[in-house]
Amino acid sequence: NAGVTQTPKFRVLKTGQSMTLLCAQDMNHEYMYWYRQDPGMGLRLIHYSVGEGTTAKGEVPDGYNVSRLKKQNFLLGLESAAPSQTSVYFCASSTTETQAFFGQGTRLTVV
Amino acid sequence: GQQLNQSPQSMFIQEGEDVSMNCTSSSIFNTWLWYKQDPGEGPVLLIALYKAGELTSNGRLTAQFGITRKDSFLNISASIPSDVGIYFCAGQISGTYKYIFGTGTRLKVLA
């Protein structure tokens, strides 16, 4: 009964490096989301997807790219990491009938 | 970016006291959600509200969907130490699949 699984859980990057965060859900949910959480800012939507092969920008999309090649996976990419992208990243999934279920988060530090 | 106004930002209460927090928005939402986040974990859903005026309980928690569809309230009765955490409201924007989150209420319970 995995739900939403995020990998990795922790990562330290140097400025300018790239990386991909993976989100996998086993609930057959149509919609998937990537949020970042910063102190005092709550959760802010980066990108989201309403189905396989589709993506859309959220509130803070700059510096990130996403892909949804398979329904169960939603990838978040950082092409050239910056210190401002130090944050905790959360993936979530939902359907039209259910609320969003969240993963455990990925703590990313960019030095 | 659009965010919900959540208050209070933090609360220190004595065990056994009741707690109230609320969220307001300039936008209309068709769904209101309340989540709790424990340290190092992703948010976990507490209560979901789907109709204006709806009042829903989950144990000691009670939440209401404001009649104007622009606000919601969460009450916790007879608080206990394990209620400690950050509580987030979230609204689903009408006509979209996006959830917008409040900035959170940090609750601390003193035994």
Side-chain angles (χ1 to χ4, degrees):
Chain A
N1 206 15
V4 179
T5 303
Q6 291 182 232
T7 53
K9 289 185 170 45
F10 303 93
R11 185 72 185 269
V12 178
L13 286 180
K14 292 183 178 179
T15 298
Q17 285 186 317
S18 63
M19 78 162 294
T20 301
L21 281 67
L22 172 63
C23 176
Q25 53 96 1
D26 61 1
M27 298 174 282
N28 202 34
H29 284 174
E30 284 295 326
Y31 314 127
M32 297 187 74
Y33 313 82
W34 276 106
Y35 290 88
R36 61 177 288 174
Q37 184 176 30
D38 302 295
M41 299 292 290
L43 289 142
R44 291 182 293 169
L45 183 63
I46 304 172
H47 286 280
Y48 65 103
S49 168
V50 300
E52 182 179 320
T54 72
T55 63
K57 293 181 180 179
E59 303 169 77
V60 288
D62 294 342
Y64 305 95
N65 57 75
V66 288
S67 63
R68 184 99 181 266
L69 299 179
K70 293 183 179 181
K71 185 177 184 179
Q72 63 267 35
N73 295 335
F74 195 29
L75 280 61
L76 178 71
L78 285 72
E79 292 183 346
S80 179
S84 61
Q85 294 178 304
T86 293
S87 188
V88 181
Y89 292 85
F90 286 100
C91 175
S93 70
S94 73
T95 69
T96 52
E97 287 84 28
T98 69
Q99 69 291 340
F101 290 87
F102 282 83
Q104 300 270 41
T106 296
R107 186 174 295 275
L108 176 66
T109 302
V110 183
V111 297
Chain B
Q2 183 177 13
Q3 280 198 311
L4 301 178
N5 297 313
Q6 187 172 347
S7 64
Q9 287 187 342
S10 62
M11 302 179 72
F12 289 80
I13 63 170
Q14 293 287 337
E15 182 177 358
E17 288 185 349
D18 297 342
V19 174
S20 292
M21 59 191 78
N22 69 81
C23 272
T24 59
S25 171
S26 57
S27 303
I28 290 175
F29 292 124
N30 59 2
T31 300
W32 280 96
L33 308 172
W34 284 93
Y35 286 86
K36 183 190 178 203
Q37 185 179 29
D38 292 323
E41 302 288 331
V44 174
L45 184 74
L46 298 174
I47 292 179
L49 302 159
Y50 301 105
K51 291 171 61 175
E54 180 180 353
L55 186 70
T56 297
S57 293
N58 178 9
R60 295 178 294 106
L61 279 62
T62 301
Q64 184 162 24
F65 192 142
I67 198 72
T68 65
R69 297 171 64 192
K70 293 182 177 181
D71 56 8
S72 181
F73 307 87
L74 176 69
N75 295 312
I76 305 173
S77 63
S79 58
I80 59 178
S82 62
D83 289 335
V84 166
I86 305 176
Y87 291 79
F88 290 101
C89 62
Q92 184 179 13
I93 301 172
S94 298
T96 78
Y97 306 107
K98 295 193 293 184
Y99 292 91
I100 301 299
F101 280 77
T103 50
T105 294
R106 188 178 296 272
L107 178 64
K108 295 194 176 181
V109 179
L110 306 174

